Each structure stands twice: as C-alpha cells, then as structure tokens.
Amino acid sequence: MYYPIPPGSMSEASAIEFLKNHTNDVLLFCRKRAPPGVHDVMLLVKDFLKFAKEKPVDAFEIIYDFIVPNEIKIGWIKKYLFAKPRVINIIGERDSGKNAIVY
C-alpha cells in the first residue's frame, strides 16, 4: 500500500487528488501538531490548506510522511542502506558515540 516516493516526483494533479482523499489525515496531522494552548485547530487547518494550495506537492509529501507507519519507513531505510555498499562519514566530538552508531 505504501511505497517510497522520491521528493518532488509526484505530479501536482496527483498531489491535489491525494490531499482531497485524505482530508481526515490532514485534520489529524494539524491536531497533533497544534502548539500547546491552541484550541482552534481549524485556524491551523486553514493555514495548512492555504499552504497546500500554493505548494500541493510539498503538502502531499508532509501528509504522506505522516500517514506512513514507522515500521514501513524503517524497512525503506534498511533496504536503502543495505541494497548496496555505502560510504558513510560520521563526525562528532570525542566519546560522543560514533563507534556505537557504526556498530
């Protein structure tokens, strides 16, 4: 059902259609992201909808990332990391856990 989508690869028309079909997900996203003390989530929804009209592909990517379960995202990351050898550079202060990250 879910599949990784390269950023910016969705067409504007498809993004608009997706957002229309996932109105409840947009509302849930805005409710969960509402700053503490904000009781009128509809203002947040209106702001997001305004953003979605201006940049539907970006809004699609935000909502799609929100509704994809974390287990599936972890699978995508593992597949990406282990599909072929990769060179990774890890930088950090001494004793910050760089070796632990590598292992």
Side-chain angles (χ1 to χ4, degrees), residues 2 5 10 15-33 44-45 48-49 51-52 55-69 73 76:
Y2 298 107
I5 300 173
M10 178 64 75
I16 291 169
E17 184 66 28
F18 180 91
L19 290 169
K20 283 181 183 177
N21 291 335
H22 290 85
T23 303
N24 290 334
D25 295 317
V26 172
L27 290 170
L28 180 62
F29 173 81
C30 290
R31 283 191 188 113
K32 286 191 172 192
R33 299 299 190 277
L44 188 62
V45 170
F48 185 83
L49 292 176
F51 167 75
K55 298 184 178 184
V57 175
D58 293 344
F60 158 78
E61 289 175 0
I62 291 169
I63 296 300
Y64 189 77
D65 184 55
F66 173 71
I67 64 173
V68 173
K73 291 179 197 174
W76 295 345

Side-chain angles (χ1 to χ4, degrees), residues 78-90:
K78 286 180 180 176
K79 185 176 178 183
Y80 174 78
L81 289 175
F82 300 117
K84 59 183 178 180
R86 304 222 182 256
V87 175
I88 298 173
N89 184 15
I90 299 177

